[in-house]
Amino acid sequence: MLDWNDLRYFLAVARGGSTGTAAKALGVNQSTVQRRLRALEAALDCSLAERQAGGYRLTAHGQQLLVHAEQVEATVNALQRQSATLDNRTAGLVKLTSHVTVGQRIIKSGFLDRFHSRHPGIKVELIMEQRALDLSKGEADIAIRGGTLDDDPALVGRKIAEVPWGIYASRAFVERHGRPSTPADINGFSIVELVDEIAALPAARWMKTYAPTARVAVRCSNVPSVHLAIKSGAGIAPLPAVYAAADQELVRVLGPLQELNYPMFLLTHRDLRKIPRINAVFEFCLSELKSVLMRGELKK
């Protein structure tokens, strides 16, 4: 007999390419993923994925069924969202997600304490993840994201801040190597390169333009790692100005620069916006988050 829940494991393997990646995404162990995948294959009386070097590949049968499994997933997610809209309680759990650096500022600012004192019946769970959680699948209720508004028409959002960025080095680095006077000078210094998930940031693209042949001392895939690399004296790199201002060992050598500004947005699913407790958190975020994200002196 088919267990609909097993489709989650099949989809995770199809998307992750391995049972290990699927297990991490689902928060279970690898043997559970393998067992549930085999149970689904037994129920359907066919092979869905074949083990190969380095992971799993869907069989022809698996490829054909994938689109139907995705449709089932979308329908279940829609059912859950619609069910949630019938819950008119002003109390309960709301999951708020952000990147690590934003989450750190939220915690330090007392944002959560202020909200809970005003709405004691609502518990906000802050999820700090580098990846963007899927609001349509219920991974989070509200997201704070940078860049551009999501193209998903099911999401609604508002711009909450324009975060300034500058170019930074450690004090020790400046004492040893000096500092650039213009953007073009950066090409003559060692730099920390922004790669992978932060390679699309305006600051990362700007560095590619002005330091195309600079010596790359370190490559980092998230802002906290960039911060640590700069602080260690590895090289020059961009950082959010209000974030860098908290570290007395850093020196802003250029900026803040208008072209490095990074817009921040508050997003939720259109259906979830109607739920009283989620709407309460959303409105509180709109009123408070700009000051939280922008608070701090932009030191030189």
Side-chain angles (χ1 to χ4, degrees):
M1 181 177 179
L2 176 64
D3 184 340
W4 299 108
N5 195 47
D6 288 342
L7 291 174
R8 296 173 54 241
Y9 296 86
F10 167 61
L11 286 169
V13 171
R15 291 162 179 163
S18 72
T19 54
T21 302
K24 184 176 181 181
L26 295 171
V28 299
N29 59 50
Q30 196 168 348
S31 63
T32 297
V33 175
Q34 294 169 338
R35 177 170 53 81
R36 300 300 289 268
L37 177 62
R38 298 309 170 211
L40 179 62
E41 290 179 326
L44 296 174
D45 193 24
C46 66
S47 174
L48 298 174
E50 296 175 333
R51 186 180 182 88
Q52 295 190 332
Y56 278 75
R57 186 180 69 177
L58 295 187
T59 63
H61 205 141
Q63 290 283 1
Q64 292 176 353
L65 292 181
L66 177 60
V67 63
H68 299 290
E70 290 175 333
Q71 290 172 353
V72 171
E73 178 188 50
T75 300
V76 170
N77 290 334
L79 184 149
Q80 290 176 330
R81 288 194 306 273
Q82 288 301 315
S83 176
T85 63
L86 302 177
D87 182 359
N88 291 318
R89 293 176 300 168
T90 56
L93 175 67
V94 176
K95 294 178 288 185
L96 173 66
T97 183
S98 75
H99 281 175
V100 174
T101 51
V102 173
Q104 289 172 334
R105 294 190 68 81
I106 288 174
I107 292 171
K108 291 178 181 178
S109 71
F111 172 93
L112 296 176
D113 291 336
R114 292 194 299 277
F115 177 83
H116 289 141
S117 66
R118 188 177 301 183
H119 302 276
I122 302 175
K123 178 184 177 182
V124 177
E125 177 185 325
L126 180 60
I127 306 171
M128 294 188 286
E129 280 269 5
Q130 288 304 114
R131 75 178 181 93
L133 299 188
D134 195 325
L135 302 182
S136 295
K137 294 179 181 178
E139 292 183 336
D141 300 312
I142 300 172
I144 305 164
R145 291 182 188 160
T148 58
L149 276 176
D150 200 302
D151 291 333
D152 188 343
L155 300 184
V156 293
R158 292 269 298 276
K159 183 177 178 180
I160 52 176
E162 188 88 14
V163 178
W165 282 56
I167 308 300
Y168 291 84
S170 70
R171 294 190 182 278
F173 183 93
V174 171
E175 289 171 3
R176 289 196 308 269
H177 306 290
R179 57 193 292 168
S181 300
T182 68
D185 292 341
I186 295 176
N187 204 47
F189 291 84
S190 295
I191 65 168
V192 178
E193 186 177 14
L194 281 59
V195 298
D196 297 337
E197 61 196 45
I198 56 174
L201 291 174
R205 296 196 299 268
W206 186 92
M207 288 289 286
K208 288 285 189 182
T209 299
Y210 286 99
T213 60
R215 175 183 173 273
V216 176
V218 183
R219 291 182 172 88
C220 298
S221 61
N222 57 68
V223 170
S225 295
V226 175
H227 175 204
L228 292 175
I230 298 172
K231 189 171 182 174
S232 72
I236 292 173
L239 280 175
V242 290
Y243 173 77
D247 192 334
Q248 297 301 315
E249 295 182 34
L250 300 188
V251 176
R252 178 161 49 89
V253 296
L254 289 173
L257 302 169
Q258 181 70 30
E259 55 266 46
L260 271 60
N261 281 3
Y262 191 56
M264 300 295 297
F265 295 91
L266 188 69
L267 300 170
T268 189
H269 194 280
R270 190 178 304 278
D271 294 337
L272 301 181
R273 189 77 161 88
K274 307 168 187 175
I275 302 173
R277 65 180 182 278
I278 293 177
N279 184 61
V281 177
F282 194 91
E283 291 296 329
F284 189 81
C285 287
L286 289 179
S287 66
E288 295 274 332
L289 276 181
K290 182 175 182 178
S291 63
V292 168
L293 296 176
M294 304 297 287
R295 186 177 296 137
E297 295 297 325
L298 304 186
K299 67 176 183 178
K300 295 183 179 180

